[in-house]
Amino acid sequence: TTAVKEELTKKVDVASTLNASNIQITPINVKNNGKEKVSTVAKRVDKLVVSFDVDNRIAQSGTTDVYVLVIGPDGKPISAESLGSGTFTTREEGDKSFTAKLPVELEAKRKTIEFAFKPGTNFQQGNYTIQIYQNGFKIGEGTRSLKKGGLFS
């Protein structure tokens, strides 16, 4: 019975992994007067605002950590000191670096999570990939393209 109980515990643990949906990545240009405007030109973008919904009907109430990984156009993970970057362990890919660790209060309903990401350097043109992990599994991914800008782009 002990082996069966352990197997069931593992199944519940895997099944309680959150689902991420409705992933939106919005590039924002912050003006001098503090107003924010959406921009897709890389040199004008000051931050990326990432929002997504998480839900799971069988997850128990409490707090869990969601890890967000921002991968730049060069294919390398971007770290942000202000967001507490570090590493975490996935179940399939081993240790990975993360950009932000977000504590999420679990409920039996859908919950929207939003955070702003500012790298230590300027944004480069190209595709930024956002990967979302929870419970050691990738639960969602989205991509946002930033273009060069200028008169003839």
Side-chain angles (χ1 to χ4, degrees):
T1 60
T2 307
V4 172
K5 185 176 179 186
E6 284 178 15
E7 189 176 316
L8 285 174
T9 304
K10 286 179 186 175
K11 282 183 182 178
V12 168
D13 179 46
V14 171
S16 67
T17 301
L18 298 175
N19 299 318
S21 60
N22 196 22
I23 301 168
Q24 297 179 345
I25 306 156
T26 311
I28 300 290
N29 175 12
V30 180
K31 302 276 189 183
N32 290 337
N33 62 6
K35 288 190 177 183
E36 296 184 348
K37 180 182 168 196
V38 175
S39 174
T40 57
V41 178
K43 69 179 181 179
R44 292 196 186 125
V45 173
D46 296 311
K47 65 182 176 180
L48 289 178
V49 176
V50 179
S51 72
F52 54 94
D53 296 337
V54 293
D55 67 333
N56 186 312
R57 292 194 179 116
I58 68 164
Q60 296 180 350
S61 297
T63 304
T64 186
D65 290 326
V66 173
Y67 298 94
V68 179
L69 174 61
V70 179
I71 300 171
D74 58 0
K76 295 180 181 164
I78 301 173
S79 62
E81 298 289 319
S82 61
L83 296 172
S85 297
T87 58
F88 70 103
T89 304
T90 65
R91 296 192 189 210
E92 291 142 356
E93 303 168 49
D95 288 352
K96 289 191 96 161
S97 298
F98 64 87
T99 305
K101 178 178 164 183
L102 308 170
V104 175
E105 197 65 38
L106 292 178
E107 298 169 11
K109 60 182 184 186
R110 182 169 294 200
K111 184 169 189 160
T112 302
I113 299 171
E114 182 175 293
F115 83 101
F117 163 70
K118 293 181 185 178
T121 60
N122 292 336
F123 283 96
Q124 304 299 315
Q125 72 183 45
N127 291 334
Y128 284 82
T129 303
I130 312 297
Q131 296 178 343
I132 304 163
Y133 287 84
Q134 192 262 330
N135 201 10
F137 295 105
K138 186 191 313 186
I139 61 171
E141 180 173 295
T143 304
R144 170 57 90 169
S145 179
L146 297 181
K147 58 186 181 187
K148 184 174 188 222
L151 208 52
F152 303 105
S153 61

